[in-house]
Amino acid sequence: ARAHGGAILSILHARTKHGDPHVHDFLKSLVQRTAEPMFAAVRRWLFACDLSPYPHKEFFVYLIDEETTTAAFWRDWDVLRPELVPSFFRGSEDLILLVGKALNFLKRCCDGGARSQPQHAALAEDLDDDDLAFRYNGQERLARLVRRVAVAVNGRVRTTLVENFRLVDHFRTLRACLLLMQGDFAVRLVDAIEPHRAAAAARRGSSSSSSSYGGAASVVRHDVWTAFDSAVRASNAVTLRTLDCLRVAIVRGRDDVVLDYEPPSPVGA
């Protein structure tokens, strides 16, 4: 199989472990020069989340689909291709991926756009201060730098989601309703729904036609929404700020009620 990108660097790096000092020095200098574009790629990815200069996909971060939806961003945007990770990057590649991915998340999902460019420039100005980290045999320095950048970027993501997109409110609603920690809401919801489930079961048992069951199911769905609304209003859950993200569904054929939570973008990404 033909090797390219980081796979070539791994092959050359392995050859540097040679007993002849002249061969070792020659191969080491060869890897140093050959690895320069890869280190430049890592630098661009860490501080500008930029993959554009690599039409042949030789970098180990790969853009799956530029047209992916915001909701599927974290899963379907950028992925790691392990076979292209140079062997001397092992141990840092996952964090390298996540740093650039987080910057892309801020830019594309958090209404960053052009406003995110000054922030990225400020990040590079503050943290891109170690040229030796982007040279062959500077892997330990690079690992330390990547950890510093990850702390800064993750802090920015956390602050953005908490201050601009009510992340803590979403967590409170999830905890209270889906994890049933809001006890009065859970009790009132079950009490309100149970009579409708019993009535639907009785109607289904009294008729064998599928059309009759379909009508009964639609009535149950409406009644479940009514029961859900009354349970919210009659409990302390009414104080939660993101109740509009809660969804109620019915498992068809069993009339089991399921609560789901669909946060908006970018929390749902």
Side-chain angles (χ1 to χ4, degrees):
R2 295 175 59 186
H4 73 293
I8 294 177
L9 294 176
S10 295
I11 294 171
L12 292 175
H13 175 65
R15 298 295 188 272
T16 61
K17 299 177 176 61
H18 198 284
D20 189 322
H22 299 290
V23 175
H24 168 78
D25 291 342
F26 168 74
L27 289 173
K28 183 178 177 180
S29 64
L30 180 62
V31 178
Q32 285 175 338
R33 295 297 301 274
T34 308
E36 287 178 1
M38 181 62 67
F39 281 104
V42 171
R43 199 170 203 162
R44 275 192 296 268
W45 175 247
L46 286 176
F47 296 108
C49 52
D50 183 11
L51 292 176
S52 58
Y54 312 106
H56 302 292
K57 301 178 177 61
E58 60 268 38
F59 190 39
F60 56 81
V61 175
Y62 174 61
L63 173 62
I64 297 179
D65 182 8
E66 194 166 354
E67 302 301 322
T68 189
T69 63
T70 300
F73 172 86
W74 202 257
R75 183 187 69 245
D76 293 342
W77 189 265
D78 304 299
V79 297
L80 192 70
R81 295 193 293 174
E83 70 278 7
L84 294 185
V85 178
S87 55
F88 46 85
F89 278 174
R90 298 296 180 191
S92 298
E93 67 271 23
D94 290 327
L95 203 53
I96 290 172
L97 168 68
L98 292 177
V99 167
K101 202 164 188 173
L103 287 175
N104 252 332
F105 175 75
L106 289 169
K107 177 181 178 181
R108 299 181 181 274
C109 300
C110 297
D111 298 325
R115 290 178 298 172
S116 66
Q117 298 305 320
Q119 296 178 345
H120 292 175
L123 178 71
E125 183 177 349
D126 292 340
L127 296 176
D128 189 6
D129 56 2
D130 189 355
D131 289 336
L132 294 178
F134 297 97
R135 295 181 184 177
Y136 183 62
N137 284 343
Q139 293 88 317
E140 292 185 3
R141 302 174 72 102
L142 177 61
R144 289 194 295 269
L145 177 62
V146 170
R147 289 193 291 269
R148 288 172 54 208
V149 176
V151 170
V153 172
N154 289 340
R156 183 182 299 174
V157 170
R158 182 173 59 252
T159 299
T160 300
L161 292 178
V162 169
E163 294 183 355
N164 300 343
F165 298 99
R166 307 195 306 186
L167 179 64
V168 174
D169 290 330
H170 287 291
F171 285 159
R172 286 173 179 156
T173 304
L174 280 168
R175 182 177 184 272
C177 297
L178 264 68
L179 299 181
L180 303 181
M181 298 300 290
Q182 190 76 45
D184 57 342
F185 165 74
V187 170
R188 291 180 184 275
L189 181 61
V190 171
D191 289 345
I193 287 176
E194 188 57 34
H196 299 295
R197 293 181 69 247
R203 286 195 301 270
R204 189 166 63 250
S206 65
S207 175
S208 58
S209 67
S210 59
S211 60
S212 295
Y213 171 68
S218 64
V219 173
V220 171
R221 187 174 296 109
H222 170 75
D223 290 342
V224 164
W225 273 106
T226 302
F228 171 76
D229 184 66
S230 65
V232 169
R233 294 177 183 275
S235 69
N236 288 331
V238 73
T239 62
L240 297 170
R241 298 175 60 186
T242 58
L243 281 172
D244 56 319
C245 299
L246 273 173
R247 302 289 183 267
V248 183
I250 302 170
V251 179
R252 189 167 181 81
R254 292 178 8 195
D255 292 326
D256 290 338
V257 177
V258 178
L259 287 177
D260 196 8
Y261 195 78
E262 298 178 4
S265 175
V267 177

